[in-house]
Amino acid sequence: RVERELLKLALQRPELVSPAFDAYGIDEFTAPPYAAVRRAIEEAGGASGADGDYLTRVREAAPDDTVRAMCTELAVEPLNLRRDPDEAYAGVQLVAVRLAAVNRRIGEVQGALQRLGPGADAAHLAAVQNELWVLQQYGQSLREKGAAAL
């Protein structure tokens, strides 16, 4: 739901989510249709490049009619709030999507760390532990500072 809301913002109000949105990887969108829309936005020049032809470029960048339809749907579907969206609302959506991606990566790294076991190469073990520490610190920063941590 949060990924969908962020994509709606990127299509309807790109000025609220750029340039941060453009730094998000396609892998941060877990549902394949949302990842495809993210890719189309990227190929259309990103949210930072939004102008009068932005939505047309996004639709043209979509690989097929299904993704084009999803782009149209997200571009017209109302946002999930009762007032006009602002930077604070956009920041909450940006942080939620990024924090979910960080948490997924933490889980992957923890799994890798467990698989390494006690006989692992010390340098490799240290690198994996360092990545885990960095991810945990970034996740904590996102929780504490919100969009300022992006």
Side-chain angles (χ1 to χ4, degrees):
R1 185 176 148 217
V2 176
E3 292 175 11
R4 183 178 187 88
E5 192 71 0
L6 182 54
L7 288 170
K8 289 190 305 189
L9 279 167
L11 291 168
Q12 296 175 27
R13 298 293 304 273
E15 74 280 2
L16 292 177
V17 296
S18 66
F21 178 84
D22 292 338
Y24 280 47
I26 292 164
D27 62 333
E28 294 187 71
F29 294 86
T30 56
Y34 297 159
V37 171
R38 172 63 188 97
R39 183 180 312 276
I41 291 170
E42 181 179 333
E43 291 176 8
S48 297
D51 58 15
D53 294 329
Y54 173 61
L55 291 175
T56 301
R57 286 196 319 272
V58 171
R59 286 182 43 77
E60 288 173 353
D64 57 40
D65 288 341
T66 302
V67 177
R68 275 188 283 287
M70 175 66 70
C71 291
T72 301
E73 181 179 320
L74 294 170
V76 299
E77 183 178 301
L79 295 165
N80 292 327
L81 74 162
R82 298 192 191 285
R83 56 182 170 73
D84 285 338
D86 57 14
E87 289 181 8
Y89 181 74
V92 167
Q93 304 311 308
L94 287 161
V95 168
V97 170
R98 176 60 54 87
L99 189 55
V102 168
N103 288 336
R104 282 191 304 276
R105 182 64 187 147
I106 285 172
E108 292 168 2
V109 172
Q110 286 174 330
L113 196 57
Q114 288 176 343
R115 286 188 297 279
L116 284 175
D121 173 62
H124 184 62
L125 181 61
V128 173
Q129 288 173 328
N130 184 60
E131 181 182 1
L132 180 59
W133 183 82
V134 168
L135 286 165
Q136 289 170 332
Q137 294 302 306
Y138 184 47
Q140 183 65 30
S141 180
L142 286 168
R143 284 186 289 281
E144 290 174 359
K145 297 178 184 173
L150 292 172

